[in-house]
Amino acid sequence: LPEDKQTLVTGESEVQEKIELPKDFTLLNFASESDPDVKAAWRYIYSRGLTDKDIWYFKLGVSNEAKWKRRVIMPSFDCNGVLNYFVARAIDKEKKPKYDNPHIDHRSVVFNEISIDWTRPLVLVEGPFDMTKCPENTTALLGSDFSEQHELFNRILLHNTPIYLAMDGDMWDTKMPKIYKKLTEYNLEVKVVDVRPWGDPGNMSKLEFGDAMKEALS
C-alpha cells in the first residue's frame, strides 16, 4: 500500500482511506462568523465548557462537506507533526453517528502524540473529546480495549510512563479492570480516576477532573 494509506480488515473485506482532513477544513477561530453552522459549532463548544484556549490547543475546526457538516473536528498529529487521525463530533443530538472518523485501524494511532511527554504521568481516556477536561499530557484510547496490539501501549512500555486511567463510568466494572490488570502486569505505575458521578471526563469541569485526579486510587 502507499505510505499515505492504512488498512482496516473487517471480516473478509478491506476498507482503505487516505488520512487527510476535509479539503475545506477551517480552524474554528477562522471560520466565517456569518455561517449559521459555524455559530452552532461555537454554541456547542461553549456549552461543553471549552474555552478559546482549548479551541486553539486542540485545533478544533469545521467543514461544509456533507459527511462532516455540523460536526466539530479534532485532528491528531504524530510526533513529527504529521496528521495521523481525526475525530468529528456531531453538534446535534439527533445526528448519527455521534462520532465519525477515518476508516483505519485505530490501534496504530497515538492520538495527540505531538503533545505527549512520555516522562510525565499520562492520562488515558476513552475518546478524544474527553481530553478537553484533562491535563495537557493526555491521550485517548479511541475505544474501550487496550493491549499489546496498540502502538500507544507499546510506547508506554518503552518509556515506563506512569498512568492515570480515567475511563468512562460504564467501563468501571467491565473493561477498565482488564486494562488496569494488563498495564500493571508490566509493573507500570497506574492510578485510577473515578469519574462515575459524571459519567465520563467530558461531562466534568477541569477543576472537577483535577480534584478527582488528586483522589486517584492505585
Side-chain angles (χ1 to χ4, degrees), residues 123-164:
V123 178
L124 299 184
V125 296
E126 184 177 354
F129 280 83
D130 291 327
M131 295 168 50
T132 60
K133 305 303 177 63
C134 302
E136 289 187 354
N137 211 43
T138 299
T139 190
L141 303 187
L142 304 176
S144 58
D145 294 312
F146 196 47
S147 70
E148 296 90 344
Q149 301 297 316
H150 294 75
E151 180 64 23
L152 172 60
F153 191 98
N154 290 288
R155 296 289 183 88
I156 290 169
L157 293 185
L158 177 65
H159 297 280
N160 197 34
T161 304
I163 297 298
Y164 280 89

Side-chain angles (χ1 to χ4, degrees), residues 95-106:
K95 191 176 182 67
K96 304 295 181 184
K98 181 164 65 173
Y99 295 98
D100 208 344
N101 47 262
H103 295 156
I104 71 164
D105 188 346
H106 68 272

Side-chain angles (χ1 to χ4, degrees), residues 43-215:
R43 287 195 298 270
Y44 172 78
I45 289 296
Y46 287 142
S47 74
R48 296 301 301 268
L50 275 65
T51 65
D52 290 349
K53 180 181 177 181
D54 296 323
I55 294 168
W56 279 112
Y57 179 77
F58 291 104
K59 306 169 187 65
L60 301 181
V62 291
S63 167
N64 279 318
E65 291 184 15
K67 180 177 174 62
W68 309 111
K69 192 176 181 65
R70 292 188 69 83
R71 292 180 180 275
V72 174
I73 299 171
M74 181 188 292
S76 167
F77 301 90
D78 67 17
C79 61
N80 296 312
V82 178
L83 181 75
N84 63 357
Y85 203 72
F86 66 88
V87 171
R89 209 284 187 192
I91 64 175
D92 303 307
K93 291 182 179 180
E94 67 278 6
K95 191 176 182 67
K96 304 295 181 184
K98 181 164 65 173
Y99 295 98
D100 208 344
N101 47 262
H103 295 156
I104 71 164
D105 188 346
H106 68 272
R107 293 174 299 180
S108 66
V109 177
V110 179
F111 197 91
N112 198 39
E113 183 183 12
I114 194 172
S115 299
I116 294 176
D117 181 348
W118 300 104
T119 67
R120 295 172 48 224
L122 179 66
V123 178
L124 299 184
V125 296
E126 184 177 354
F129 280 83
D130 291 327
M131 295 168 50
T132 60
K133 305 303 177 63
C134 302
E136 289 187 354
N137 211 43
T138 299
T139 190
L141 303 187
L142 304 176
S144 58
D145 294 312
F146 196 47
S147 70
E148 296 90 344
Q149 301 297 316
H150 294 75
E151 180 64 23
L152 172 60
F153 191 98
N154 290 288
R155 296 289 183 88
I156 290 169
L157 293 185
L158 177 65
H159 297 280
N160 197 34
T161 304
I163 297 298
Y164 280 89
L165 268 182
M167 300 292 99
D168 291 2
D170 60 4
M171 295 175 60
W172 187 264
D173 297 316
T174 55
K175 297 294 184 69
M176 195 277 291
K178 296 178 181 179
I179 295 173
Y180 179 89
K181 183 175 183 294
K182 177 64 69 173
L183 289 167
T184 54
E185 284 176 353
Y186 289 91
N187 297 316
L188 292 167
E189 179 184 344
V190 184
K191 294 185 177 181
V192 177
V193 184
D194 188 355
V195 304
R196 286 177 293 175
W198 299 270
D200 62 60
N203 292 328
M204 304 170 73
S205 69
K206 292 183 180 181
L207 180 60
E208 288 170 335
F209 190 86
D211 289 342
M213 279 190 68
K214 294 175 184 177
E215 303 296 325

